[in-house]
Amino acid sequence: MSSYIPGQPVSVVVQKIEIHKLREGDRLILGFSIGGGIDQDPSQNPYSEDKSDKGIYVTRIAPGGPADVAGLRVGDKIMQVNGWDMTMIKHYQALKKLTKPKEEVVRLLVTRKSLEQAVKGAMGLH
Amino acid sequence: MDNDSQYSGYSYKSSHSRSSRKHRDRRDRHRSKSRDGSSRGDKSVTIHTPGEPLLDGSAREERDDNWGETTTVVTGTSEHSVSNEDLTRVSKDLEETTPLQCKRFLGPVVAGFLSFFALLTPLAFLVLPQVLWRDTLDPCGTPCEGLYVSLAFKLLVLLISSWALFLRPPRATLPRFFVFRCLLMVLVFLFVASYWLFYGVRVLEPRERDYRGIVEYAASLVDALLFIQYLALVLLEIRHLQPAFCVKVVRSSDGASKFYNIGHLSIQRAAVWLLDRYYSDFPIYNPASHNLPKSILSKKMSGFKVYSIDENPSNNTSGQSRAMIAAAARRRDNSHNEFYYEEAEMERRIRKRKARLVVAVEEAFTHIRRLQEDEAASSPKHPREVMDPREAAQAIFAPMARAMQKYLRTTRQQAFHSMESILTHLQFCITHNMTPKAFLERYLTSGPTLQYQQQSDRGRQWTLVSEEPVTAALRPGLVFALRRLDFSLVVTVTPLPFLRLGEEFIDPKSHKFVMRLQSETSV
């Protein structure tokens, strides 16, 4: 992941992940946990390369849940949810964007280190 | 009389206490019974062969050799309270019988005489020429009168400050000379002597006519005396005020310890200073409170008793001693257990008795009430018996006496509080409108030694035990002890650390904060 310079656009390699929410009673669950946000302490994030990165990261995946099935992995940084930006957002607001009760499907753009390496490797081969 | 030789193996001697020896003497004379004083602190073991009178103190060392032979160690029953009262009675007797020492007043008397003489000297200088050769003196007008005034005021200041600083009853007699005081007295004596010498040779003999010069000379003596007094003030009172050492005082009998900050003093002065604080800071020494109860110690020690009956003891002792040590090692595993349970039991008992005492006292205090002023007028309607504090105290003492006595026995304090003293304290509390809790404060916590002492002018005898001469100044690493009859205070001197103080300026605007949350929520 590229380091963040305030005011400059960030360019990363992202993967599109589509999660179909699972209905449990009257709740819709996605099966993962998030951490991070601009109101949180970024130095405690175990998954970020740059410890001042205040983005939303996936901290836990329920095995066999909708997120696991869709291909989300622990340590992924979520860049967008249904078009809403997740790189500069408060933790609570990110939660709200993910758990809208009217939406059955969420489309995430996530990035991870292995993606960058894979792309670099592919480009290097060429 | 119990002839129980079960605890025969253990003997404890309190070798430093005169009182316990006398105590032994008295008891043996009166009752001819000896006790095993293993853990009673001051009670001594009296091991004497039957029929042989108790040896005197001088033969104490011999007794050590004799005790292994045909002796009967007789253990006593549980008459703790009696022996404790004996002990305190004996120690009180000892203190009252030390005669008033005249040595106490020698130093101050000499110093007083010297200073009186020094104060009279300037006046003598002025008066003698007037008396002896008045006619031949030069007339001395205004300047002399000015000098008279200044002389008078300086003498007055000298007098008042001497009274304020030095005219105090001495609080202690030191074993050696008080170096600074001696130095100052010598200085004063030298000054005055040399002034008199000069005066005698140059003024009295030739009958000096310049009176103004004589007056100035007297004024200069008074100045010199004022400066000596300043020196005395600095040396005796001020120099030791700045703290330089930290001393640790530990009482040898029960480990009560305190730390004090002390300045530059000689060992003997430091001892006096520390004893002042000992009397008001340290809880009273209770000879009856000791660590391990008798039963545990004796059981532990009785395993070591080896009876060598055989002809050649060398063969048996090694085998036996090994067996003994093994048995003792096994046995020792249990004694801490017993100790723990005994402690817990004792604590429970104390708490129970304390609860009963508190309730009894509270109830007793509800029986009386202070008579209000307006009630006295309406007394013809309800004639109540009006009592003074002493009678009121006696009236309410009865219901709480039993609970109080039981509590004091359990906490082993009954030697310090006689019935009379409890009544007096009760009367005192009633007079000053104290609550039951305030009345009990004196008995629930063990107070400082001064609380229990009566006013006796004979003073307390302490012995300063030190490897260095007692007029030497305190230095780091010094250890000395202050010994009393049955315990001693061991004093260790450590230097106060040198402090390197730095500064750091904090801008008031630099206080900024951020949130440190890291919440993880599941979706």
Side-chain angles (χ1 to χ4, degrees):
Chain A
M1 272 163 259
S2 48
S3 61
Y4 165 62
I5 302 168
Q8 301 299 316
V10 175
S11 71
V12 288
V13 181
V14 293
Q15 176 184 352
K16 199 187 297 189
I17 292 189
E18 197 170 290
I19 305 182
H20 298 263
K21 292 190 192 177
L22 185 63
R23 182 162 287 279
E24 249 189 28
D26 58 342
R27 294 192 323 133
L28 285 164
I29 62 166
L30 290 103
F32 66 98
S33 301
I34 56 166
I38 54 174
D39 55 342
Q40 306 283 310
D41 181 12
S43 63
Q44 300 198 17
N45 190 342
Y47 306 111
S48 61
E49 268 187 12
D50 178 12
K51 287 303 171 193
S52 62
D53 185 3
K54 292 188 176 177
I56 306 285
Y57 281 77
V58 176
T59 55
R60 220 167 38 87
I61 303 252
D68 195 16
V69 163
L72 199 59
R73 298 284 166 259
V74 171
D76 289 356
K77 175 174 175 181
I78 305 178
M79 307 299 285
Q80 271 187 19
V81 170
N82 283 350
W84 294 100
D85 170 59
M86 290 276 131
T87 56
M88 272 286 124
I89 193 171
K90 284 200 222 168
H91 185 94
Y92 173 64
Q93 288 167 345
L95 215 59
K96 300 249 26 148
K97 294 285 183 273
L98 278 167
T99 55
K100 284 204 159 56
K102 297 270 175 58
E103 294 172 353
E104 295 263 344
V105 180
V106 284
R107 294 180 181 81
L108 313 180
L109 287 179
V110 304
T111 178
R112 59 180 85 96
K113 188 109 187 299
S114 50
L115 279 178
E116 292 258 359
Q117 286 171 347
V119 167
K120 274 210 186 69
M123 283 183 3
L125 277 179
H126 278 117
Chain B
M1 200 164 86
D2 278 357
N3 271 349
D4 183 13
S5 53
Q6 182 188 351
Y7 306 133
S8 55
Y10 183 69
S11 84
Y12 174 79
K13 258 196 220 308
S14 57
S15 50
H16 293 297
S17 59
R18 234 164 65 217
S19 74
S20 66
R21 202 180 333 129
K22 276 211 176 144
H23 174 42
R24 238 185 282 151
D25 286 342
R26 267 183 217 206
R27 270 191 297 151
D28 282 306
R29 258 184 265 125
H30 292 159
R31 281 178 242 131
S32 67
K33 181 161 78 162
S34 52
R35 282 203 182 97
D36 181 345
S38 57
S39 51
R40 290 276 163 237
D42 227 306
K43 290 207 298 202
S44 62
V45 170
T46 54
I47 305 166
H48 64 271
T49 56
E52 189 182 339
L54 197 64
L55 301 168
D56 264 355
S58 53
R60 239 172 346 128
E61 281 75 72
E62 294 172 20
R63 223 185 279 141
D64 272 338
D65 302 339
N66 290 338
W67 82 269
E69 298 176 1
T70 58
T71 57
T72 313
V73 175
V74 179
T75 61
T77 51
S78 61
E79 293 179 347
H80 316 298
S81 57
V82 181
S83 51
N84 266 344
E85 282 163 23
D86 256 1
L87 185 66
T88 47
R89 191 172 10 107
V90 166
S91 58
K92 282 195 188 111
D93 288 346
L94 271 177
E95 284 180 5
E96 284 162 22
T97 51
T98 50
L100 180 63
Q101 289 174 315
C102 293
K103 191 178 142 201
R104 203 161 123 175
F105 299 111
L106 182 68
V109 162
V110 169
F113 181 69
L114 195 62
S115 47
F116 183 66
F117 182 62
L119 280 176
L120 278 190
T121 306
L123 299 174
F125 284 2
L126 292 180
V127 160
L128 277 176
Q130 297 278 353
V131 163
L132 290 178
W133 61 90
R134 195 196 191 110
D135 351 320
T136 50
L137 275 177
D138 288 341
C140 176
T142 332
C144 266
E145 281 157 17
L147 283 171
Y148 288 157
V149 172
S150 86
L151 202 69
F153 275 122
K154 280 187 201 158
L155 271 179
L156 185 68
V157 166
L158 207 56
L159 210 64
I160 294 181
S161 55
S162 297
W163 167 83
L165 286 176
F166 305 127
L167 244 64
R168 285 177 296 196
R171 302 236 12 275
T173 44
L174 304 174
R176 294 279 171 99
F177 290 123
F178 186 173
V179 173
F180 286 151
R181 196 158 60 195
C182 286
L183 180 74
L184 287 166
M185 292 203 321
V186 165
L187 212 61
V188 167
F189 177 71
L190 278 178
F191 259 64
V192 172
S194 58
Y195 266 72
W196 267 109
L197 195 65
F198 184 84
Y199 187 75
V201 168
R202 291 308 188 111
V203 174
L204 281 183
E205 274 213 33
R207 299 211 163 197
E208 179 67 38
R209 297 174 54 197
D210 180 15
Y211 193 58
R212 182 161 163 215
I214 296 176
V215 177
E216 279 172 1
Y217 184 64
S220 80
L221 174 62
V222 177
D223 285 339
L225 286 177
L226 271 174
F227 286 134
I228 293 187
Q229 194 176 63
Y230 161 73
L231 187 65
L233 183 67
V234 163
L235 279 183
L236 296 181
E237 308 279 332
I238 294 193
R239 180 167 177 258
H240 61 75
L241 286 181
Q242 189 181 37
F245 300 106
C246 182
V247 295
K248 174 170 182 178
V249 186
V250 182
R251 186 158 60 187
S252 69
S253 63
D254 56 359
S257 71
K258 279 252 166 4
F259 284 86
Y260 296 112
N261 278 3
I262 202 174
H264 286 281
L265 285 173
S266 62
I267 296 183
Q268 51 184 9
R269 279 175 81 195
V272 172
W273 192 93
L274 282 173
L275 284 178
D276 278 342
R277 274 153 194 77
Y278 166 79
Y279 275 109
S280 48
D281 285 343
F282 275 68
I284 179 112
Y285 162 63
N286 194 344
S289 63
H290 258 258
N291 212 5
L292 289 178
K294 181 172 84 171
S295 50
I296 291 177
L297 258 186
S298 317
K299 276 198 202 127
K300 187 174 168 180
M301 288 300 172
S302 66
F304 283 122
K305 183 66 179 173
V306 174
Y307 295 95
S308 57
I309 317 168
D310 296 342
E311 298 299 319
N312 42 349
S314 53
N315 287 345
N316 278 355
T317 40
S318 54
Q320 258 198 0
S321 55
R322 247 184 274 132
M324 279 302 138
I325 289 173
R330 257 180 278 124
R331 208 172 303 188
R332 208 173 294 166
D333 287 342
N334 281 335
S335 66
H336 63 257
N337 227 3
E338 292 176 23
F339 175 51
Y340 169 71
Y341 282 117
E342 182 123 3
E343 281 266 294
E345 173 68 29
M346 176 64 76
E347 216 154 299
R348 208 180 56 88
R349 221 183 298 157
I350 291 181
R351 255 185 275 147
K352 211 167 56 158
R353 296 267 166 97
K354 177 178 164 182
R356 290 211 187 123
L357 174 66
V358 169
V359 164
V361 170
E362 295 252 355
E363 224 175 313
F365 266 67
T366 59
H367 291 322
I368 58 164
R369 185 168 67 82
R370 185 174 270 269
L371 187 67
Q372 307 295 334
E373 291 301 322
D374 48 349
E375 283 184 21
S378 68
S379 61
K381 273 194 234 166
H382 302 279
R384 250 176 271 171
E385 189 185 307
V386 176
M387 303 182 282
D388 68 349
R390 180 82 189 169
E391 292 163 358
Q394 277 164 342
I396 65 171
F397 181 61
M400 70 162 98
R402 192 179 147 79
M404 172 73 81
Q405 193 189 42
K406 283 206 157 156
Y407 178 77
L408 288 180
R409 263 176 212 264
T410 317
T411 52
R412 301 198 196 103
Q413 280 180 318
Q414 73 273 13
F416 301 132
H417 304 287
S418 66
M419 229 182 41
E420 184 57 37
S421 77
I422 302 179
L423 264 176
T424 317
H425 187 236
L426 187 55
Q427 175 190 340
F428 172 78
C429 290
I430 293 178
T431 319
H432 292 277
N433 292 330
M434 294 215 200
T435 59
K437 200 163 169 189
F439 163 69
L440 280 175
E441 161 272 332
R442 196 188 156 120
Y443 305 105
L444 295 180
T445 53
S446 165
T449 316
L450 273 181
Q451 192 176 295
Y452 304 95
Q453 309 274 2
Q454 300 96 334
Q455 279 300 100
S456 81
D457 227 6
R458 296 293 179 259
R460 321 237 171 269
Q461 171 75 22
W462 288 85
T463 314
L464 184 50
V465 178
S466 145
E467 291 161 12
E468 304 225 334
V470 296
T471 47
L474 287 180
R475 56 172 181 75
L478 191 64
V479 176
F480 61 95
L482 286 158
R483 206 171 56 198
R484 190 103 164 95
L485 298 171
D486 30 13
F487 62 92
S488 63
L489 299 173
V490 181
V491 180
T492 321
V493 180
T494 46
L496 283 177
F498 180 75
L499 302 168
R500 274 192 292 242
L501 218 56
E503 83 158 281
E504 182 180 325
F505 173 71
I506 295 188
D507 187 5
K509 288 197 280 266
S510 70
H511 298 295
K512 304 258 181 264
F513 294 92
V514 291
M515 291 290 271
R516 280 188 74 82
L517 303 173
Q518 188 60 20
S519 50
E520 175 195 344
T521 38
S522 55
V523 231

